[in-house]
Amino acid sequence: MPTRVFRSSAYLSVNQAIETMCAQAQCHLATEKVIGTAALGRILAEDITAPFSLPPYDNAAVDGYGVRSGDPAESPRRVVCRAAAGAVADCSLGHGEAVRLFTGTPLPHGVDAVVMQEECQTEGDWVIIPSGVTRGDNCRIAGEDVRRGHKVLTAGTRLRPQDLGLTAALGLRSIPVRVAMRVALFSTGDELREPGVSLPTGCIYDANRYIISGCLISLGCHVTNMGILPDKETAVTAALQEAALSHDLLVTSGGVSVGEEDHVRAAVTAIGALHIWRVKIKPGKPIAIGSVANVPFLGLPGNPVAAMVAFLILCRPLVLTLAGRSFLPPALYPIQASFGLTRSPGRREFLRVRLEDGRATLCPMQGAAALSSLSHADGFADLGETVERVQPDDLIRFLPLTDLLW
Ligand code: AMP
Ligand code: MG
């Protein structure tokens, strides 16, 4: 692979950066079949079409009496048969007759409405049906939910509990899903220590590996914890080359700015390709994208808040695309701000906010290194590039963290 560093001269908007990143990305992961709840959270590898309709047959939506809607109301009808769920009423309904049915029972021939038992009066084998019964009342018609042969789930969907229910209802036992993407995750920096060891002056504990690992796991990736790399180009080079042999994605944090101790840049440049991107985002800079031995590489910023924002906002779409999942921009919810601020326009800003009384309240510490703001926050207030001020009660765009961690 030739040695290249790309430095985009123009600043990219957040959306341009996402589009550019995803444009070339493709999922190369294999497909496997999994059974039942093992498919939860996995990414569907093929479209699913319904082998039969749902419901498969016309059936009762309530416990009650099946009738002909055209029969005169309020005159007694003879109950000619009875069928509980799982059974079939062995009768054909004549005029002036009723059939005792329960929720889910197939509708016998002749029944075109079901009346709730609470609305009926019974005496022995007779039932009095109130007036106002209309054809189709409390009937579930075959195929009204899902039609045989129609697509019910699209390849690239991450399977949720209700999707497992749908495939089960269609009798599908083994589900084709993508194998989990293998991600090698490194932190870089001589100042970093693993929690649990003593902390010399001048050092800090590694927070980013826990944040980014948690984000990747939440997205369904299989993460290999590769530990802390020193600020030494040869060490970074060797570790990335080794990891590229057995992973689908390489992720680091720190070491990608312009300081002379930022060796990740130099290392990736020496063994692969690196694009340092200037993105109009705050926090979230600097961000480096590239590849080592044809394995995609993501270099996140060192500051923890910047690393998490860069990952969730800029890199998540790429990670999803590589994992075989369709990416839809997350929903932005209009919400009232409880705070006011003025700012220099130019960058899209993701402020950490908390929901209080239905309004967005600013978390106290907004610096790119202030970890407490992330734990305090329910999500981001997403301020557009051109926004110069926010006043209390203004409607702002809210992006819940939970929507990004799935
Ligand atoms: P760098 O981009 O390597 O210069 O890092 C920028 C800032 O982020 C420095 O203050 C680093 O100490 C800090 N930092 C880098 N990596 C981590 C990490 N894994 N956990 C916590 N802080 C970090
Ligand atoms: Mg560093």
Side-chain angles (χ1 to χ4, degrees):
M1 163 110 18
T3 299
R4 291 172 286 158
V5 180
F6 296 90
R7 189 176 277 280
S8 56
S9 50
Y11 274 86
L12 300 173
S13 71
V14 168
N15 288 345
Q16 283 169 333
I18 293 170
E19 277 161 27
T20 315
M21 260 191 238
C22 293
Q24 306 295 325
Q26 272 183 2
C27 172
H28 298 294
L29 300 174
T31 297
E32 64 178 343
K33 297 242 180 179
V34 294
I35 309 250
T37 52
L40 183 65
R42 302 295 300 273
I43 296 162
L44 194 61
E46 295 161 19
D47 291 345
I48 302 276
T49 17
F52 54 81
S53 293
L54 287 181
Y57 43 81
D58 298 350
N59 67 93
V62 294
D63 292 344
Y65 292 86
V67 298
R68 288 172 174 266
S69 58
D71 283 355
E74 288 167 17
S75 57
R77 298 178 206 209
R78 203 158 71 81
V79 180
V80 292
C81 65
R82 180 184 194 278
V88 177
D90 189 17
C91 65
S92 175
L93 203 69
H95 286 291
E97 293 179 340
V99 51
R100 178 73 169 124
L101 298 176
F102 298 88
T103 309
T105 318
L107 300 184
H109 183 74
V111 171
D112 68 2
V114 180
V115 185
M116 284 174 81
Q117 62 188 31
E118 294 87 332
E119 293 169 5
C120 302
Q121 283 175 17
T122 52
E123 210 181 301
D125 285 346
W126 295 85
V127 61
I128 295 179
I129 304 293
S131 60
V133 175
T134 314
R135 187 184 171 83
D137 280 357
N138 300 312
C139 295
R140 301 191 288 216
I141 305 304
E144 69 178 18
D145 186 8
V146 170
R147 284 213 166 272
R148 178 177 164 211
H150 282 206
K151 183 162 71 171
V152 286
L153 290 170
T154 308
T157 301
R158 190 168 186 201
L159 296 166
R160 301 164 299 167
Q162 57 270 45
D163 303 323
L164 302 192
L166 185 55
T167 51
L170 290 167
L172 304 170
R173 196 170 126 77
S174 89
I175 311 294
V177 295
R178 296 286 188 180
V179 297
M181 184 158 71
R182 300 160 305 167
V183 185
L185 177 64
F186 300 89
S187 292
T188 72
D190 286 342
E191 76 282 25
L192 300 179
R193 294 291 179 277
E194 194 68 54
V197 305
S198 65
L199 197 63
T201 309
C203 292
I204 56 171
Y205 288 120
D206 179 359
N208 290 355
R209 213 153 17 96
Y210 293 83
I211 299 173
I212 304 305
S213 173
C215 291
L216 286 161
I217 292 168
S218 301
L219 299 185
C221 298
H222 179 85
V223 180
T224 315
N225 179 352
M226 305 296 280
I228 301 164
L229 291 174
D231 285 321
K232 193 160 169 244
E233 189 183 321
T234 50
V236 178
T237 309
L240 289 176
Q241 274 176 322
E242 171 78 25
L245 297 174
S246 54
H247 291 88
D248 308 301
L249 175 67
L250 310 173
V251 180
T252 62
S253 67
V256 287
S257 22
V258 289
E260 64 254 40
E261 291 300 334
D262 291 319
H263 298 284
V264 174
R265 256 166 24 101
V268 178
T269 304
I271 53 173
L274 192 72
H275 311 241
I276 305 276
W277 286 19
R278 305 182 199 221
V279 184
K280 290 183 270 183
I281 188 170
K282 182 183 178 184
K285 291 199 314 174
I287 176 105
I289 312 290
S291 62
V292 172
N294 287 326
V295 176
F297 166 84
L298 280 177
L300 299 170
N303 278 311
V305 183
M308 189 169 185
V309 170
F311 182 83
L312 290 179
I313 303 295
L314 295 173
C315 302
R316 178 177 172 273
L318 174 71
V319 172
L320 300 189
T321 307
L322 293 171
R325 188 165 154 201
S326 352
F327 168 70
L328 284 175
L332 294 166
Y333 303 91
I335 190 168
Q336 260 187 345
S338 70
F339 59 90
L341 57 80
T342 54
R343 67 189 280 274
S344 319
R347 288 200 274 165
R348 187 160 157 194
E349 186 165 5
F350 294 88
L351 298 167
R352 273 71 67 217
V353 295
R354 198 175 169 86
L355 293 182
E356 278 169 13
D357 301 326
R359 303 201 309 163
T361 302
L362 210 52
C363 298
M365 293 290 294
Q366 289 289 332
L371 268 161
S372 66
S373 73
L374 289 172
S375 282
H376 194 241
D378 294 313
F380 298 123
D382 172 5
L383 304 187
E385 285 172 17
T386 56
V387 171
E388 286 183 44
R389 71 174 52 80
V390 175
Q391 290 176 321
D393 299 336
D394 278 358
L395 276 185
I396 56 169
R397 300 185 300 199
F398 175 68
L399 184 47
L401 271 166
T402 46
D403 285 9
L404 298 169
L405 292 168
W406 161 261

